[in-house]
Amino acid sequence: MRHLFGGSTSDYAMEQVGDQLLLRPGATGTVWDAVAGGTQLTDLTDTSGLPITSVVAASDGFVAFYGPEDATTVYLDFGLGRRYAMVASDIAAIVSARVAGVVTEAADDATTKAADAQAAAIAAAASNTSALYLPNAITTVDSIINPATPVAPVFFAHRGGGMVRPEHTLVGYRAAAAMRFPLEISVNVDASGELWCLHDPTVDRTTNRTGNLNGYTTEEIGQQIQTNNRSLLGAGWAEQRLVPLRQVLDEFLGRVPILLEPKANDAVVPCQQLLDASYPHAPRSVIWKCHIGTLSLPWAKARGYRTWVYLDSGTSDATMDGKDSMVDYWGVNTTFTDTRISQVVARGKPVFAWAVYRRSQVARLTGLGVVGMMASDPRYVSTSAPQRTASRWDLQIKEPGCTPTIDYDPDYALVFAPSPDVGWVSIPTSASFQSVGLGTYCPVAAGANGYRLSFDMKFKVLPASTLHGGIYFGKQSDDPYRFSQSNVTGGYHLVMRANGQMQLNKHTAGSTSGTTMGSVIATTAPTADGVMSFQVDVRPTTVEVRRTDGTGWTTGALADTTYRGLYFGLSNGSVTDVATRPYWRNLVVTQL
């Protein structure tokens, strides 16, 4: 429709002359769509509806005319030095009339029309809020997943990076998001209906309390329940509060993609309701994560969510076929066989594996065609460089790349000794022949003449005289090493027995026994809690081990070039009694 311009008591053609404004009756003006330049508007009418192409002021200078269709702002130029902006003077009346009409119409059927108006207003507000909430530079699911290939996989922070930071906590999520890793988030619901980021339905494993989460109210959880991940990650960690899902979504939604999974059945509907009511834009950056047996896939696909569906080792192809149309990405466990993983990859959809915490796992999985890594230590497994050359075990905080034989299990994790032994570490499990990889120092940055590993070792309680502990080194990758077991890659193993015998063994891949190199070196037998010091030199053509807290205790430079891999770690050797396990401190890696 055409809108009226002018017609009010202040709309006259005037010219500023000195300090005065003088009327200019009969002045002819042109109409434009910009204050400078722009396009002249000629589709005009006078107040009686007759077409005109320019505006002529009345005998008293009064101005009034109708503009082009739907124009509400124009600029009038009388050739008097500048253009004057004019806003349609009938806007207020039109709006008022329309509001009055809406009110009158709504009054005819107040209940029904009020409900309709409210629903429309909520929908419009949600749509507008969605556009405002999400910046144009949002990191969407597609922008991360679509480019992923086995050569350049995408790494997700599994449980927020739960092998290096307290799992499912703000400190974990913030660290992972700062490094641009998508977040994997598990949620369960409390007695009040609030959703909390927590992997287990119970709080037993990861907090200072026991029992089901849904047995606690929101207030009780917020004030009394904290993580107790120190047994897994070290006493240097402060306890962390549990975090509500709302807080996580408010802080991270749109910054990094999120894989979201309600873990227990009673958390599914509250999670869906929260997303529907408060985060209608979530499908752009949230992947709905669920088990193959879930009933929630139709809900997710109806709202446009991408879905990641993870399998059991025994999941049949027929079961997968039945869900295939609602699945965007398949999930496989690192324990699946190569054959099974290859079969899932061959279905043609992107495959993500969980839980990845070794670089050797990444190499295996990408070789099978997997494009996504649910990594409990994402910074370590996504890089290929050492992070330090000297230990800081006195800080009592687990290092990235610290790889026990079993992840997420405090019984196999590296333990930081309390006072008076701060700075010493050990492997506390009673399971036989355990070790811990030290990937944060790997691959070792060797010099032109190789490298040296220096460290102290002791037995707080002496084991039987022939039992031993030590370190392993020279491995090509960070796959696990276990004494007297068949290992994927070979390497060397320093043996220090409780009777003082020191020797260097070579451990061939696939063999359960090592081979002694050179001769056994007789050193002074260690004493309980007595410190021994060692140096291991790996040069281009030789390997030598020295015990340096005495004189002349060395294997000598043994000519051997079999293993020059750059991964190493700590080994309980043949000790299986927790009380007599070895301890280490003061690790230093030096280029030669």
Side-chain angles (χ1 to χ4, degrees):
M1 63 176 293
R2 293 181 182 273
H3 293 286
L4 176 65
F5 291 88
S8 74
T9 56
S10 61
D11 294 313
Y12 290 83
M14 292 182 288
E15 179 183 8
Q16 183 172 356
V17 179
D19 295 332
Q20 301 183 65
L21 287 175
L22 303 180
L23 293 173
R24 291 293 181 256
T28 298
T30 53
V31 181
W32 300 78
D33 63 1
V35 69
T39 302
Q40 183 179 349
L41 306 176
T42 58
D43 180 20
L44 314 171
T45 73
D46 62 17
T47 55
S48 64
L50 294 176
I52 57 176
T53 58
S54 59
V55 177
V56 179
S59 59
D60 59 353
F62 184 72
V63 175
F65 64 95
Y66 283 93
E69 285 289 329
D70 297 324
T72 57
T73 302
V74 298
Y75 300 87
L76 194 55
D77 190 342
F78 283 107
L80 303 176
R82 58 174 294 182
R83 294 178 185 175
Y84 295 89
M86 301 190 73
V87 177
S89 55
D90 60 355
I91 293 292
I94 292 172
V95 172
S96 177
R98 289 183 177 178
V99 171
V102 170
V103 172
T104 301
E105 184 179 355
D108 295 338
D109 189 356
T111 302
T112 301
K113 287 186 170 59
D116 291 345
Q118 182 183 42
I122 291 173
S127 177
N128 293 336
T129 301
S130 175
L132 291 172
Y133 184 87
L134 296 177
N136 290 331
I138 180 176
T139 304
T140 63
V141 169
D142 290 344
S143 70
I144 291 293
I145 305 302
N146 290 353
T149 68
V151 176
V154 59
F155 293 87
F156 302 88
H158 187 249
R159 305 187 191 177
M163 280 289 286
V164 285
R165 295 176 290 272
E167 65 180 70
H168 292 308
T169 60
L170 273 181
V171 68
Y173 296 148
R174 285 171 175 164
M179 292 182 280
R180 308 305 300 158
F181 294 117
L183 305 177
E184 188 261 351
I185 297 175
S186 303
V187 293
N188 279 290
V189 68
D190 69 16
S192 306
E194 185 75 43
L195 292 158
W196 295 84
C197 298
L198 185 71
H199 179 272
D200 304 349
T202 73
V203 297
D204 299 39
R205 179 177 63 88
T206 58
T207 80
N208 59 343
R209 298 286 179 175
T210 60
N212 293 330
L213 183 77
N214 61 16
Y216 292 89
T217 67
T218 298
E219 294 72 25
E220 291 165 346
I221 295 169
Q223 298 304 313
Q224 287 295 318
I225 298 184
Q226 292 183 311
T227 63
N228 64 350
N229 291 97
R230 292 172 175 173
S231 58
L232 180 67
L233 304 177
W237 271 99
E239 292 183 340
Q240 306 292 317
R241 295 286 187 187
L242 298 191
V243 56
L245 177 60
R246 287 178 183 271
Q247 184 175 356
V248 173
L249 293 176
D250 288 344
E251 182 167 343
F252 299 106
L253 188 60
R255 289 179 54 199
V256 293
I258 293 172
L259 285 89
L260 179 60
E261 180 186 16
K263 296 298 288 188
N265 290 335
D266 61 348
V268 175
V269 172
C271 188
Q272 294 171 337
Q273 292 173 337
L274 175 65
L275 292 174
D276 282 344
S278 300
Y279 305 96
H281 49 291
R284 295 180 63 187
S285 53
V286 169
I287 297 172
W288 186 255
K289 176 188 171 215
C290 53
H291 180 260
I292 185 68
T294 187
L295 301 178
S296 66
L297 284 173
W299 172 89
K301 298 310 295 180
R303 286 154 178 79
Y305 285 95
R306 303 293 191 274
T307 58
W308 181 64
V309 176
Y310 58 94
L311 311 173
D312 296 321
S313 59
T315 301
S316 68
D317 289 338
T319 300
M320 296 176 69
D321 292 341
K323 296 290 181 72
D324 189 81
S325 63
M326 294 182 287
V327 175
D328 293 291
Y329 322 112
W330 291 112
V332 296
N333 194 281
T334 55
T335 60
F336 288 9
T337 66
D338 287 5
T339 298
R340 186 53 180 152
I341 293 175
S342 297
Q343 290 170 345
V344 177
V345 169
R347 297 179 72 94
K349 292 184 177 180
V351 175
F352 309 158
W354 91 96
V356 179
Y357 73 110
R358 295 178 184 268
R359 291 169 178 165
S360 54
Q361 291 173 317
V362 175
R364 172 201 173 217
L365 293 164
T366 54
L368 296 172
V370 175
V371 301
M373 306 293 157
M374 304 285 285
S376 53
D377 192 351
R379 184 174 185 270
Y380 168 69
V381 299
S382 65
T383 59
S384 58
Q387 296 182 37
R388 63 169 36 147
T389 58
S391 62
R392 290 302 312 273
W393 294 330
D394 58 306
L395 298 178
Q396 300 190 305
I397 293 176
K398 182 185 178 184
E399 301 163 320
C402 184
T403 51
T405 53
I406 299 178
D407 62 343
Y408 287 121
D409 190 332
D411 289 341
Y412 293 83
L414 198 66
V415 167
F416 301 87
S419 179
D421 290 317
V422 172
W424 290 92
V425 296
S426 65
I427 306 169
T429 180
S430 59
S432 301
F433 316 127
Q434 294 302 308
S435 67
V436 167
L438 299 178
T440 198
Y441 308 89
C442 302
V444 173
N449 292 313
Y451 64 92
R452 171 176 294 163
L453 305 178
S454 305
F455 59 94
D456 296 333
M457 177 178 153
K458 71 176 180 179
F459 298 99
K460 287 183 66 67
V461 177
L462 290 175
S465 63
T466 59
L467 298 182
H468 63 81
I471 68 166
Y472 67 89
F473 58 98
K475 286 176 67 68
Q476 294 177 353
S477 74
D478 63 355
D479 59 273
Y481 170 83
R482 294 181 65 183
F483 172 77
S484 193
Q485 303 293 304
S486 174
N487 299 307
V488 175
T489 59
Y492 303 107
H493 180 199
L494 163 63
V495 170
M496 185 64 215
R497 301 186 188 280
N499 61 11
Q501 291 180 345
M502 182 179 73
Q503 67 190 69
L504 181 61
N505 283 0
K506 182 161 56 176
H507 205 126
T508 304
S511 174
T512 58
S513 60
T515 301
T516 300
M517 299 170 58
S519 58
V520 175
I521 308 303
T523 71
T524 298
T527 58
D529 213 28
V531 178
M532 300 175 285
S533 299
F534 298 88
Q535 286 183 349
V536 176
D537 287 354
V538 181
R539 298 182 181 272
T541 61
T542 63
V543 181
E544 181 177 4
V545 174
R546 291 185 296 274
R547 180 176 167 187
T548 57
D549 56 304
T551 303
W553 296 335
T554 177
T555 61
L558 302 175
D560 189 277
T561 60
T562 308
Y563 301 112
R564 287 300 182 272
L566 300 173
Y567 284 85
F568 70 95
L570 309 175
S571 171
N572 275 0
S574 59
V575 174
T576 58
D577 181 358
V578 172
T580 62
R581 67 189 187 271
Y583 288 72
W584 301 266
R585 73 172 180 187
N586 293 341
L587 172 68
V588 177
V589 181
T590 307
Q591 290 184 343
L592 298 177

